[in-house]
Amino acid sequence: MNRSIRGALLWEPEMEPLPRPTIFEFHGVYMTNYFTENWDNIQSFEARPSDIVIATFPKAGTTWVSYILDLLYFEDVCPERIASIPIHERVPFLEISAPFHHKGKDLADQLPTTPRLIKTHLPIQFLPKSFWEHNCRIIYVGRNAKDSAVSYFHFGRMNFIQPDPLNWSTFLQDFKEDKIVFGSWYDHVNGWWEKKQTYSNIHYMFYEDLTEDTGREIDKLCSFLGLSPSAEKKERVATGAKFDNMKQDKMANYSTVEVMDHKVSPFMRKGKVGDWKNHFTVAQNEEFDEDYKKKMKNPTLKFRTEI
Ligand code: A3P
């Protein structure tokens, strides 16, 4: 089987598993070829002023926020879109270039909607410059490091286009050493936070806040985006985007993506704040906290590990 052809669905569940990609340093950040192969085209992506970027470190709730925004903008005008197009096509993943998938950049180019909702995991220094030139609105979602690490570990187990995380303690060590795809969680969350101080079109939000009060966070999103939906509509969006609803929705739960084995771990896994407590040993937690204190110097950026 030729797996080198990209842009087509090549992999079928009855075939042997895809070989796991190798991780390597790319402009100072660990990546795999699935996110670097289309690099020049990504960097020269032509943004439009109406584009909205959803930027996150992996596993911060990207799909959740993408789903909320998609409902806010398009549920009334195009309900069939929500019922028939997977979320990763409605909100393309800009930098992805993997064998089973159309290139994210091409999907973004071809999006028929205004605004175009575009997802990225790129650290701040890699965002294509056209987004800055057009002063595009950016929604950044952060999630506490411990739950992010746990979620990323399970994601690596079930997703063949991720390097094999091997086991929890190895993965946790890799996380601390930034040897995971998209590199340092610390640089990512801090880089976007610092940018927010000078670029007013970033709305920085947190997974934990969204869990605590989804309605309140939808209100903040709407005010950032200049939307004024009715109370009924906001309620519909909050209900539609509940974990259990999204878990059942084939267009949101990634069950149509063959390179993910949901029997190993479902994409919509737990959706909780504090699941790290079921994974970290006491010693791992103490070491992690020590390391965290050294790396998180900015006192204004605070994450909650429980709510
Ligand atoms: P867990 O693995 O902790 O369950 P991303 O979309 O950035 O890859 O993030 C995936 C994480 O967000 C997963 O976390 C997933 O369960 C969680 N998630 C997705 N939709 C959610 C929702 N509606 N409510 C709460 N968590 C959600």
Side-chain angles (χ1 to χ4, degrees):
M1 178 185 43
N2 180 358
R3 287 196 173 114
S4 65
I5 306 166
R6 284 178 298 281
L9 277 160
L10 289 177
W11 190 76
E12 299 291 339
E14 65 272 13
M15 294 176 186
E16 67 197 71
L18 280 173
R20 297 284 188 146
T22 311
I23 196 162
F24 54 88
E25 226 176 318
F26 182 78
H27 299 299
V29 175
Y30 278 94
M31 296 286 255
T32 68
N33 60 336
Y34 294 142
F35 304 108
T36 59
E37 277 194 352
N38 201 23
W39 197 252
D40 292 345
N41 290 327
I42 292 160
Q43 289 305 313
S44 56
F45 180 75
E46 286 183 29
R48 297 181 196 151
S50 55
D51 287 347
I52 299 174
V53 178
I54 300 159
T56 63
F57 188 79
K59 312 318 290 173
T62 331
T63 315
W64 192 4
V65 172
S66 302
Y67 196 81
I68 289 173
L69 288 186
D70 195 58
L71 289 182
L72 280 172
Y73 277 103
F74 307 119
E75 186 218 15
D76 305 330
V77 283
C78 198
E80 63 279 11
R81 179 183 149 81
I82 281 132
S84 62
I85 307 177
I87 190 71
H88 53 91
E89 289 181 26
R90 270 143 55 193
V91 183
F93 183 4
L94 183 64
E95 58 272 20
I96 198 164
S97 173
F100 66 97
H101 200 288
H102 296 289
K103 288 186 171 64
K105 192 256 175 196
D106 296 344
L107 288 176
D109 278 336
Q110 291 154 18
L111 271 182
T113 58
T114 304
R116 300 185 300 186
L117 305 174
I118 299 171
K119 152 187 166 177
T120 184
H121 289 320
L122 292 173
I124 185 91
Q125 69 274 25
F126 292 161
L127 190 77
K129 65 176 185 326
S130 182
F131 289 112
W132 304 123
E133 288 164 357
H134 289 291
N135 198 29
C136 292
R137 287 165 299 175
I138 299 171
I139 292 157
Y140 187 84
V141 193
R143 186 180 193 183
N144 79 73
K146 293 178 185 176
D147 283 328
S148 294
V150 167
S151 184
Y152 211 0
F153 166 66
H154 289 294
F155 186 63
R157 292 170 55 232
M158 62 85 77
N159 182 355
F160 297 126
I161 72 158
Q162 281 289 314
D164 188 340
L166 301 177
N167 56 62
W168 167 241
S169 61
T170 306
F171 182 80
L172 185 61
Q173 193 56 34
D174 288 344
F175 186 97
K176 279 158 68 180
E177 291 174 12
D178 310 331
K179 287 189 190 144
I180 50 173
V181 187
F182 295 103
S184 165
W185 176 90
Y186 302 90
D187 290 350
H188 208 284
V189 297
N190 278 301
W192 284 94
W193 181 256
E194 275 153 28
K195 184 72 182 181
K196 178 180 126 70
Q197 317 312 319
T198 53
Y199 181 85
S200 59
N201 262 350
I202 294 181
H203 176 67
Y204 201 108
M205 59 189 293
F206 297 91
Y207 181 96
E208 293 76 22
D209 293 350
L210 198 55
T211 306
E212 184 178 66
D213 191 339
T214 308
R216 179 192 66 205
E217 296 306 309
I218 291 178
D219 280 341
K220 286 192 207 161
L221 270 173
C222 288
S223 120
F224 172 69
L225 297 167
L227 298 175
S228 35
S230 66
E232 292 75 31
K233 161 104 187 181
K234 279 192 282 186
E235 189 54 40
R236 242 186 1 259
V237 172
T239 305
K242 274 187 194 300
F243 182 83
D244 291 341
N245 288 340
M246 283 179 61
K247 193 175 169 77
Q248 301 306 320
D249 178 355
K250 282 197 171 58
M251 295 300 124
N253 64 16
Y254 282 82
S255 57
T256 57
V257 174
E258 289 91 342
V259 296
M260 295 182 181
D261 187 345
H262 297 262
K263 289 200 273 317
V264 173
S265 177
F267 178 85
M268 297 291 297
R269 196 183 59 88
K270 286 201 178 169
K272 297 259 182 275
V273 178
D275 188 39
W276 62 270
K277 292 177 191 165
N278 298 315
H279 292 75
F280 283 66
T281 63
V282 172
Q284 282 172 342
N285 193 36
E286 283 170 7
E287 280 164 30
F288 195 89
D289 285 346
E290 262 319 289
D291 188 53
Y292 190 91
K293 265 188 244 144
K294 286 185 207 137
K295 290 174 177 163
M296 292 293 281
K297 292 265 156 46
N298 189 336
T300 62
L301 177 57
K302 290 195 178 73
F303 286 89
R304 292 192 286 166
T305 52
E306 51 195 316
I307 54 172

